[in-house]
Amino acid sequence: DAKTTQPPSMDCAEGRAANLPCNHSTISGNEYVYWYRQIHSQGPQYIIHGLKNNETNEMASLIITEDRKSSTLILPHATLRDTAVYYCIVDSGNTPLVFGKGTRLSVIA
Amino acid sequence: NAGVMQNPRHLVRRRGQEARLRCSPMKGHSHVYWYRQLPEEGLKFMVYLQKENIIDESGMPKERFSAEFPKEGPSILRIQQVVRGDSAAYFCASSPRTKIPGELFFGEGSRLTVL
């Protein structure tokens, strides 16, 4: 079973920042937070990961709370092509990734 | 550097036939994972293989399903005597499992339809 809780769906206006929350209150000290997304009918795509520091790459930013019990994925300027299901996953690297139901993000023009 | 290649992209089989799905990992990746996604459901882990070895098959159905990743050639997911419930998208992912063990590179999937 997934160790994370995400809202089932969210809307975001095109050009605005999309902030996707994730709760992982039972996360262990050696577990990373990974974010993936799956655009309709395509294979999942890795976005970003972090342990305890905030991270940023060309796709997104990841903000992890100090107690590591929750995190937020930020897409700074959402476009229509960012419409997808976003998965938040916690994993130690010792087991295969477990995908939950994710958040269905709809970017609206 | 080509991505993970899966074929066929679409496969139609009648009940009782066999389905063979192939996955060529990214160059330099020796770890392969297979996931299944039923219609309108999430991704479910099936099996994790490293060259010539099955590392974790805890998600594989006990009967009719098998997987291999030979020393040469692609990884194969084989489904014998298919049933309608096997209709799904099957995704393969590869990883070098070096710096970021959870960074998987997925293929575009093979969609199996059982008539």
Side-chain angles (χ1 to χ4, degrees), chain A residues 14-95:
Chain A
E14 189 178 20
R16 303 297 294 270
N19 297 287
L20 293 98
C22 179
N23 284 326
H24 31 80
S25 58
T26 60
I27 192 170
S28 300
N30 65 339
E31 288 182 316
Y32 287 78
V33 179
Y34 293 89
W35 282 84
Y36 280 76
R37 73 180 182 183
Q38 187 175 23
I39 297 171
H40 180 62
S41 296
Q42 296 182 20
Q45 177 189 23
Y46 165 85
I47 300 173
I48 199 168
H49 80 285
L51 184 62
K52 48 185 175 182
N53 296 324
N54 297 336
E55 302 287 346
T56 295
N57 62 21
E58 65 279 2
M59 289 183 68
S61 295
L62 174 60
I63 308 297
I64 303 175
T65 57
E66 194 168 340
D67 64 7
R68 303 210 321 128
K69 293 186 177 181
S70 65
S71 61
T72 301
L73 178 75
I74 302 172
L75 309 178
H77 305 286
T79 71
L80 297 178
R81 288 176 292 183
D82 292 320
T83 292
V85 178
Y86 288 77
Y87 299 97
C88 169
I89 304 167
V90 296
D91 186 76
S92 64
N94 296 321
T95 56

Side-chain angles (χ1 to χ4, degrees), chain B residues 42-99:
Chain B
L43 288 136
K44 300 297 182 188
F45 165 76
M46 299 182 74
V47 62
Y48 162 36
L49 310 101
Q50 196 179 355
K51 279 288 187 182
E52 300 186 272
N53 293 305
I54 295 175
I55 307 300
D56 184 342
E57 55 180 349
S58 58
M60 284 276 273
K62 294 287 184 263
E63 297 177 347
R64 302 188 297 109
F65 286 72
S66 62
E68 64 177 12
F69 188 16
K71 186 176 180 180
E72 302 291 338
S75 175
I76 307 284
L77 180 67
R78 182 183 178 202
I79 311 171
Q80 295 177 288
Q81 299 175 321
V82 296
V83 300
R84 290 215 173 109
D86 297 332
S87 294
Y90 291 83
F91 290 97
C92 168
S94 74
S95 167
R97 280 193 73 83
T98 51
K99 290 176 64 176

